Amino acid sequence: MAEVPTAYYIALSGILFALGMIGVLTRRTAVMVFLSVELMLNAANLSLVAFARAWGDLVGQTAVFIVMTLAAAEVAIGLAIIVAIFRKRETTNVDDLASLKG
């Protein structure tokens, strides 16, 4: 079975990160911004795994497991906050939520 070069993984990671960044910058709903941030986080994880595989070191893969664990906790807390805001204001539009600044 042919081995996929690391550059392909890094290119895919860059594309996913760019798509996530575009989503963060263009989307107006908090849920879509949240999902775009998760896409960017997974792109970073993909590059960590690709480099760990290329260098034959398990440190990158271990870091990815830690990041995935923290991301799961972040998702639970983030979605709970978004649901709480939606219940209070009946919108998740980030422009309408600008008044939360204080």
Side-chain angles (χ1 to χ4, degrees), residues 1-98:
M1 185 166 153
E3 190 170 308
V4 179
T6 304
Y8 290 174
Y9 290 114
I10 301 304
L12 177 63
S13 174
I15 291 168
L16 290 175
F17 192 88
L19 288 173
M21 186 181 315
I22 290 170
V24 167
L25 295 175
T26 59
R27 295 296 181 151
R28 300 286 49 140
T29 61
V31 173
M32 292 306 294
V33 170
F34 193 68
L35 290 176
S36 297
V37 169
E38 290 298 320
L39 185 61
M40 293 167 58
L41 184 63
N42 285 325
N45 282 342
L46 178 61
S47 65
L48 278 174
V49 169
F51 283 125
R53 181 177 155 262
W55 294 332
D57 192 6
L58 292 178
V59 173
Q61 294 176 358
T62 306
V64 167
F65 281 123
I66 293 170
V67 169
M68 289 173 65
T69 305
L70 293 174
E74 174 218 344
V75 165
I77 293 171
L79 287 178
I81 291 172
I82 290 172
V83 168
I85 289 172
F86 181 76
R87 286 183 180 169
K88 178 111 178 153
R89 296 186 171 225
E90 296 184 0
T91 183
T92 59
N93 189 336
V94 291
D95 293 330
D96 295 339
L97 301 176

